[in-house]
Amino acid sequence: MAAPDEFPREYPHIFIAGGGMVEGYRRRKQKIDPPSLPRRDRAAHAAALEAAIGAALAGARRQMGERDLTLVTGVPGYYLEVVIPGGERGVIDQLADRRQGMEVVTVSDGGAGGPITASVFVPVRAENYYLGKVQAYRDQETDSGRPRNEPLVTRMETVRLGTARSLFTDDDTLFPRDPAERVWWEVWLREGRRKAFEQLARAMDLGLKRHAVKFPEREVLLVLSGTGALDRLVAHSDVVAELRRAKDTPAFFLGLGGAEQRAWTAELLGRIVPPDPGSLVAVCLLDSGVRRAHPLIEPHLAVTDWHTVEPGWGADDTPAWQGHGTRMAGVALYGDLVPILAGTEPIAPRFSLESVRILPPRDTPAYDPELYGAITGEAIARAEIEAPFRRRVVTCAVSSASSSRGRPSSWSAAIDQLCFEEPERRLVILSAGNIGIDLMPVDHLARNDIEPVDDPAQAWNALTVGAFTEKVDIIDPSFAGWSAMAPAGELAPRSRTSVTWGVEWPIKPDVVFEGGNLAHDGRLPGEDIDDLQLLTTHFRPEARHFTTLGDTSAAAALAANMAASILVERPRLWPETVRGIIVHSAQWTPPMQAWVDACGGRKRPIHALMRRYGYGVPDLDRALRSARNDLTLLVEDELQPFQREGSAAPKTRDMKLHALPWPRRELAAMGNVPVELRATLSYFVEPNPGERGWTRRHRYASHGLRFRIKTATESLPEFRSRINQAARDEEEETAAASQGGDEWLLGKARDVGSVHSDLWRGTAADLAARDAIGVYPVGGWWKEKPYLERFDALARYALIVTIRAPGIDVDIYTPVAVQVSIANQV
């Protein structure tokens, strides 16, 4: 109840009765309008508002005149900010007229009695709405003698043209100072505007997450953008209702006490679908052990799958390695736990976990580096003996500093051998390794390019994973004023590369996954802070349930999660195929692509960028599905590369031609529409790592395979002849062999290692006639060392081909599906 002196003296009929009741209130709310301003003051207030509204409308017209017409979408209009006094929220509903398409989209309270700012979308057809209200207030009166529109106009302090900041409803300190700084935003869309927004975001090269949350009048998506780009978005469309910073970061969960963390875990456990006890797919971690007692891990790690290479160590994780294996396990099972904990959806990991401890306690002598190959083999064998029929993704983020510059070591060669061994070949994922020294912002990329990938990540047959990052949002007020070291979409600060290696060695990393970021204050070296890491499981659940993981360890764990998810969907795929699918699904982020575009098609600098970023960031949806205008074909096959007749030297034997069931009619009808073709060839080599100078006759790889696409003007006989000539040129190392041909992005630079992927761009009509792809062998020690009697061995491979018509609504999937279905019935 208000004190007596809080009631205005203008209303003497309201007073406080002795019993505390307001006499005359009659238990119902009475509308009390402020007294009218004198006519002179009314005219002054109206004139000030007319001037402000006029300036805002002039700015709006100028803004609309400067629009890029290729970006304009939705109802023509603009956003206006209307400022009203604090405590006057009751008038907000009068600020818009839905009949004219006006909508109040956000309201920001100034706090502590400060003014309230309401942002209103105003269609062009309603641009005179406020001027009309103000003019009527100035010149007209109601039947009771009061100024018309008085409740609204007297509460309007000013009006101005809105910007992205007008729609920002979070704490003001979270709004970036630099318009170019790209951070993640929650973009709250007006009803029915999602499709238009997605088209606009793609046209403006904004980062866009595919998931959305839908409410009755709003739909929320995550977008990566600078405030300058958001201003353009707001100026060109009617789609945005509200902007907030994306604030789900590990810092929130790590700031909770142990009991609160356990409560979040309990809620998540209620959403986890129990795994199939007989799961035929597993992620096998070779690390410091895993704390199986963690409630988020225990359902997925059976006691029988909890191993160690030394019984005296035990299989459990320990403080000696900061719980590294347990942190890897959480990311491998769930990915980043932040969106999982913040969400409400059921979680159903469809693969299990295996753990083999390969790292000793700190107080025992470490293994000699040359023995780690044998230890890796023994660790894998322990998991395989326990579950011989299980498909597994072997994952190792343990590495050793290497100065080999790409040359095989005993460890990397042992991994190549483990991948190649028959009858069951293995899929192995390795982290590229981390830069361990202090880093300053000026070191980013320059230092990455000179720090080589760690041993054993130079292995040809393994999938080597580097780290990139999209984590740039620093929300924790303890780090106010700090910045992320790597921009969103760039290489993570600590990730290693193969830029300094010789051109004869494989491109490493093959791909990059999220690895977190470093923060800096502009003076001191970068630091790992919680906001910029991945949230995962803590190895001491009796104390805490959550901790963080970053760098290439986190990236490798995410890669394992993707590989296992592919095997769950397609359990019969070969390991070579799964690796190829992951590489094939990768794309460069906009910052990576910008570097590639700046090369102007020059192969050498593009090759250097490949050795920094690999083939880019993989995507599970792209890996598993074909859309109407994004078609993927997959072939698993084998050939005999070489043969020997009598005592003669072995010669090349087989090549394979694969007819591509292109939708020729649909492509031809598209004419000069730009399309893309992506081809990836993945196979494993048998290693021969003895160091003898690595001349042509002492090769590491057993064999090599290459692919070529038929040109639009070639006949099949001409195509075969060209492939034969290409094989001879490569064997003889002639100048012709160095030509990429066919306008491929990488050309000859792709032909290193044992996975080759490249991108061709051209017209749909040209692609329609490129309807065959050839796979052929080139030399290796199987051919050049006949005394080892491997010249008649078979080589199997996976070939993945995708055609895309970006942004074109043409169904290229159905015609191919029909052709394939008919072929399978014959």
Side-chain angles (χ1 to χ4, degrees):
M1 186 63 64
D5 60 358
E6 291 183 270
F7 285 98
R9 296 180 184 275
E10 292 84 357
Y11 307 104
H13 59 282
I14 299 178
F15 60 93
I16 298 296
M21 295 294 293
V22 180
E23 187 69 26
Y25 186 77
R26 301 183 185 275
R27 298 186 178 273
R28 60 186 175 90
K29 182 178 179 181
Q30 296 187 9
K31 181 179 178 181
I32 303 172
D33 289 326
S36 299
L37 293 173
R39 181 169 290 275
R40 183 184 303 172
D41 293 339
R42 188 202 313 178
H45 181 58
L49 279 178
E50 284 184 295
I53 295 169
L57 293 180
R61 296 186 188 106
R62 185 167 54 253
Q63 174 180 282
M64 295 186 67
E66 295 171 352
R67 284 177 164 184
D68 180 345
L69 295 181
T70 63
L71 299 179
V72 173
T73 185
V75 176
Y78 40 82
Y79 295 84
L80 295 181
E81 286 186 351
V82 182
V83 181
I84 60 178
E88 296 286 0
R89 284 181 169 269
V91 78
I92 289 174
D93 289 341
Q94 301 178 47
L95 293 176
D97 185 341
R98 297 189 71 88
R99 293 170 299 180
Q100 298 193 57
M102 299 175 67
E103 181 184 356
V104 176
V105 290
T106 63
V107 177
S108 299
D109 197 329
I116 295 171
T117 302
S119 295
V120 185
F121 176 74
V122 181
V124 169
R125 67 176 184 267
E127 69 173 9
N128 292 321
Y129 180 81
Y130 291 130
L131 280 177
K133 295 287 186 182
V134 173
Q135 290 167 358
Y137 165 80
R138 181 192 61 204
D139 301 332
Q140 301 175 26
E141 293 182 350
T142 66
D143 293 342
S144 60
R146 300 181 72 89
R148 190 168 296 279
N149 303 319
E150 181 184 34
L152 170 64
V153 178
T154 55
R155 291 174 172 87
M156 293 172 64
E157 294 188 349
T158 191
V159 177
R160 50 184 174 250
L161 182 63
T163 63
R165 187 151 196 164
S166 309
L167 307 180
F168 186 66
T169 57
D170 265 336
D171 187 325
D172 235 23
T173 60
L174 296 179
F175 197 85
R177 301 174 185 173
D178 181 357
E181 181 186 358
R182 284 159 56 94
V183 298
W184 285 100
W185 302 85
E186 286 184 3
V187 178
W188 292 61
L189 301 176
R190 299 176 68 208
E191 189 172 11
R193 303 305 201 277
R194 179 173 177 179
K195 184 176 180 180
F197 169 70
E198 289 178 335
Q199 292 174 347
L200 191 56
R202 284 192 292 268
M204 295 178 64
D205 289 327
L206 305 182
L208 186 63
K209 297 284 189 181
R210 65 177 180 271
H211 298 298
V213 180
K214 189 171 177 57
F215 301 107
E217 292 184 292
R218 296 287 184 261
E219 197 160 5
V220 185
L221 287 88
L222 287 181
V223 174
L224 178 67
S225 175
T227 58
L230 289 181
D231 280 334
R232 291 187 69 212
L233 180 69
V234 168
H236 282 80
S237 70
D238 65 340
V239 298
V240 181
E242 184 178 347
L243 295 169
R244 304 181 190 180
R245 285 290 294 273
K247 296 184 290 297
D248 287 339
T249 73
F252 168 78
F253 296 101
L254 295 176
L256 301 175
E260 294 169 303
Q261 290 189 5
R262 286 192 289 274
W264 280 91
T265 296
E267 190 279 334
L268 175 56
L269 286 171
R271 292 188 278 122
I272 292 178
V273 179
D276 181 356
S279 173
L280 296 179
V281 177
V283 171
C284 179
L285 292 176
L286 312 186
D287 212 284
S288 62
V290 170
R291 180 58 60 90
R292 184 174 173 274
H294 196 293
L296 293 178
I297 293 174
E298 189 272 336
H300 307 280
L301 177 57
V303 173
T304 52
D305 295 324
W306 196 34
H307 307 287
T308 176
V309 294
E310 282 289 338
W313 297 346
D316 210 351
D317 209 346
T318 67
W321 301 96
Q322 294 82 48
H324 188 268
T326 306
R327 291 187 284 158
M328 287 282 292
V331 175
L333 281 171
Y334 302 103
D336 188 352
L337 275 175
V338 169
I340 301 293
L341 290 168
T344 59
E345 298 296 317
I347 305 298
R350 296 168 60 193
F351 53 86
S352 60
L353 193 67
E354 298 172 340
S355 171
V356 188
R357 181 173 178 174
I358 65 170
L359 291 175
R362 288 287 192 187
D363 57 357
T364 64
Y367 282 114
D368 294 331
E370 67 270 13
L371 296 181
Y372 266 104
I375 293 165
T376 302
E378 180 181 346
I380 295 173
R382 288 180 181 271
E384 291 178 339
I385 290 170
E386 181 60 40
F389 302 109
R390 187 179 288 160
R391 303 296 306 279
R392 56 181 48 82
V393 180
V394 179
T395 308
C396 183
V398 177
S399 63
S400 174
S402 171
S403 58
S404 65
R405 303 290 177 182
R407 292 175 180 268
S409 67
S410 63
W411 193 359
S412 72
I415 288 175
D416 281 335
Q417 186 65 37
L418 288 164
C419 291
F420 182 83
E421 277 181 351
E422 297 176 335
E424 293 298 328
R425 295 186 174 176
R426 300 176 178 93
L427 176 60
V428 177
I429 293 177
L430 303 174
S431 69
N434 305 319
I435 300 172
I437 62 174
D438 286 341
L439 297 173
M440 297 294 293
V442 293
D443 296 326
H444 184 239
L445 296 184
R447 193 77 199 186
N448 301 87
D449 284 349
I450 64 173
E451 294 286 351
V453 161
D454 276 343
D455 189 21
Q458 70 269 42
W460 288 42
N461 295 336
L463 181 74
T464 301
V465 180
F468 91 115
T469 188
E470 290 185 331
K471 291 188 174 291
V472 294
D473 292 324
I474 300 175
I475 305 299
D476 189 340
S478 305
F479 296 96
W482 288 49
S483 300
M485 183 176 292
E490 261 293 0
L491 199 70
R494 297 196 186 279
S495 191
R496 292 176 174 269
T497 69
S498 62
V499 174
T500 59
W501 290 4
V503 296
E504 69 273 21
W505 301 118
I507 294 168
K508 297 290 180 176
D510 298 291
V511 292
V512 292
F513 281 81
E514 177 65 68
N517 209 337
L518 298 180
H520 68 94
D521 62 359
R523 299 178 299 107
L524 299 175
E527 291 187 21
D528 300 302
I529 69 170
D530 295 339
D531 277 344
L532 303 182
Q533 303 290 295
L534 283 75
L535 190 71
T536 187
T537 45
H538 197 282
F539 81 104
R540 292 184 58 200
E542 65 277 8
R544 303 188 64 78
H545 279 199
F546 308 128
T547 185
T548 58
L549 183 67
D551 302 326
T552 59
S553 292
L558 289 174
N561 180 285
M562 178 175 177
S565 298
I566 292 172
L567 278 175
V568 166
E569 293 286 334
R570 305 283 297 276
R572 295 185 179 181
L573 291 179
W574 297 341
E576 303 97 309
T577 310
V578 176
R579 179 185 66 158
I581 287 173
I582 292 174
V583 168
H584 190 80
S585 75
Q587 290 184 354
W588 292 312
T589 65
M592 298 174 191
Q593 186 66 54
W595 284 103
V596 175
D597 293 343
C599 295
R602 290 172 293 134
K603 297 291 191 288
R604 182 171 294 180
I606 292 175
H607 191 208
L609 293 171
M610 287 287 302
R611 292 185 172 275
R612 176 193 288 173
Y613 301 121
Y615 291 95
V617 184
D619 180 85
L620 183 60
D621 284 346
R622 280 199 302 270
L624 292 175
R625 295 173 179 84
S626 289
R628 293 176 69 246
N629 61 352
D630 188 350
L631 172 68
T632 297
L633 302 171
L634 186 151
V635 175
E636 291 181 324
D637 206 345
E638 65 181 9
L639 55 77
Q640 183 178 324
F642 314 114
Q643 65 179 357
R644 185 181 189 185
E645 297 178 357
S647 59
K651 296 182 178 179
T652 300
R653 173 178 160 165
D654 291 345
M655 71 173 177
K656 288 286 182 80
L657 288 184
H658 298 280
L660 298 171
W662 282 164
R664 297 189 60 161
R665 181 181 303 172
E666 288 74 14
L667 288 171
M670 292 165 63
N672 291 326
V673 170
V675 294
E676 298 176 351
L677 182 147
R678 174 84 176 263
T680 301
L681 177 66
S682 177
Y683 58 96
F684 288 166
V685 300
E686 185 176 11
N688 187 355
E691 175 61 72
R692 279 161 289 183
W694 306 107
T695 64
R696 187 172 72 87
R697 296 190 59 80
H698 296 92
R699 289 176 174 162
Y700 174 77
S702 53
H703 65 291
L705 297 179
R706 304 288 185 262
F707 70 82
R708 292 290 186 271
I709 300 283
K710 175 180 169 293
T711 66
T713 58
E714 281 181 317
S715 66
L716 279 177
E718 290 170 337
F719 181 39
R720 288 191 183 95
S721 177
R722 179 164 65 90
I723 288 179
N724 286 329
Q725 185 61 49
R728 286 193 295 271
D729 288 341
E730 182 153 351
E731 285 294 289
E732 297 168 7
E733 299 178 356
T734 64
S738 65
Q739 303 301 312
D742 288 352
E743 302 303 321
W744 291 84
L745 179 65
L746 300 179
K748 182 65 179 176
R750 72 184 180 227
D751 291 336
V752 290
S754 63
V755 60
H756 316 300
S757 190
D758 208 346
L759 182 69
W760 176 92
R761 291 188 176 98
T763 67
D766 191 2
L767 179 60
R770 294 173 178 260
D771 55 358
I773 185 168
V775 177
Y776 63 92
V778 295
W781 65 262
W782 279 358
K783 176 183 178 184
E784 294 163 0
K785 298 187 176 184
Y787 56 87
L788 294 178
E789 298 185 348
R790 294 288 285 155
F791 48 79
D792 58 353
L794 295 177
R796 70 185 196 182
Y797 61 88
L799 179 65
I800 308 122
V801 183
T802 296
I803 53 176
R804 297 185 64 230
I808 306 299
D809 190 18
V810 176
D811 186 358
I812 60 177
Y813 175 83
T814 302
V816 174
V818 171
Q819 290 187 54
V820 172
S821 175
I822 294 172
N824 289 338
Q825 294 173 18
V826 174

